[in-house]
Amino acid sequence: MTIGELLRECRVSQNKKQKEFAGEILSPSYYSKVEKGKHKITAKDLISLLIYNQISVKQFFGRLDENYEENQFLEEKLNSLLAQAYFQNDKSKLEEIRQQIKDSCLSSEAKTDQLLYADIFLALMNNSLRDNKKLQDKVREKLFSMDEFDEAKIMLYGNSMRFYSLSDNKIISQSLIRKYRETNNIIIQKYLVSLCVNMLIILIENNDLKDIKLYTNRVTAKHLL
């Protein structure tokens, strides 16, 4: 039984609609795709969802692959390490992490995703992403389909904004601002400020000034400290 199938079984047994079951933890549209197996759910969000609906975490995981929780945390850890290595401009560390991903016990799907992130970060560091149309398309396809972003994906998007249309950039950036406007995570705050600065440049270049206030409101002295 997959996570989505088991979540649906738990939800139906409680006679709840998807929106009611997901609460404020996941958007209804994202949760719907989790049930259908089209989107992943982080270990943190899954546990929050179970607790919110008063479902035994131990019993839930007992009905799944015993390695699931361990693999979810490994994915999140790898994402964090990739972002950190890129932020520190450490190419050798990125290549080392990429090898760790190849040698890991992750599922083939998860491993493919993690290797893609590693390849994108390496291309950004080598200034070769602009010349790699295939990789650009993968960046757009992967990031635009995500409802949930972590630190690595926010950083990745901020460095890939030039490969999106103006309308796509508005949709993604405004979604991120709404989602993380109250966050206390300093790293995410800094990434959002950088993202907003990039958007201001893009808007000015396109002579599109009607949304400027939204981004200037984020670039405040508080966030630049």
Side-chain angles (χ1 to χ4, degrees), residues 208-219:
D208 185 343
L209 308 181
K210 61 180 179 293
D211 293 317
I212 276 187
K213 188 174 180 180
L214 172 67
Y215 300 101
T216 56
N217 285 344
R218 290 294 305 182
V219 186

Side-chain angles (χ1 to χ4, degrees), residues 55-82:
I55 298 167
S56 168
V57 176
K58 182 177 180 180
Q59 290 180 14
F60 187 92
F61 280 109
R63 297 184 62 187
L64 292 172
D65 180 356
E66 61 183 7
N67 295 319
Y68 170 79
E69 186 174 8
E70 179 182 349
N71 286 343
Q72 284 294 101
F73 281 113
L74 177 57
E75 284 189 62
E76 292 169 21
K77 180 181 178 182
L78 288 168
N79 274 343
S80 179
L81 289 173
L82 285 169

Side-chain angles (χ1 to χ4, degrees), residues 142-200:
K142 195 67 182 175
L143 292 183
F144 196 72
S145 67
M146 289 178 180
D147 288 337
E148 296 297 314
F149 278 69
D150 57 19
E151 294 174 11
K153 296 181 184 72
I154 293 174
M155 178 187 285
L156 187 55
Y157 167 63
N159 282 280
S160 310
M161 294 173 74
R162 291 290 182 181
F163 308 124
Y164 290 82
S165 68
L166 177 60
S167 59
D168 284 350
N169 272 319
K170 285 184 178 182
I171 292 171
I172 299 174
S173 62
Q174 291 176 21
S175 174
L176 289 173
I177 289 171
R178 284 194 300 270
K179 181 175 179 59
Y180 293 106
R181 61 189 170 198
E182 303 298 333
T183 184
N184 292 319
N185 186 316
I186 300 299
I187 295 176
I188 289 182
Q189 284 188 10
K190 289 181 178 179
Y191 292 164
L192 286 181
V193 170
S194 176
L195 182 156
C196 288
V197 171
N198 288 346
M199 271 305 300
L200 286 170

Side-chain angles (χ1 to χ4, degrees), residues 23-83:
E24 298 296 325
I25 299 165
L26 297 173
S27 68
S29 62
Y30 191 90
Y31 174 75
S32 176
K33 292 177 182 177
V34 170
E35 278 198 1
K36 295 175 182 177
K38 294 181 178 180
H39 273 341
K40 295 180 182 179
I41 181 171
T42 66
K44 179 181 177 181
D45 284 344
L46 176 56
I47 292 172
S48 296
L49 202 59
L50 296 177
I51 293 173
Y52 175 74
N53 289 285
Q54 299 181 335
I55 298 167
S56 168
V57 176
K58 182 177 180 180
Q59 290 180 14
F60 187 92
F61 280 109
R63 297 184 62 187
L64 292 172
D65 180 356
E66 61 183 7
N67 295 319
Y68 170 79
E69 186 174 8
E70 179 182 349
N71 286 343
Q72 284 294 101
F73 281 113
L74 177 57
E75 284 189 62
E76 292 169 21
K77 180 181 178 182
L78 288 168
N79 274 343
S80 179
L81 289 173
L82 285 169

Side-chain angles (χ1 to χ4, degrees), residues 51 152 207 220:
I51 293 173
N207 196 29
T220 64

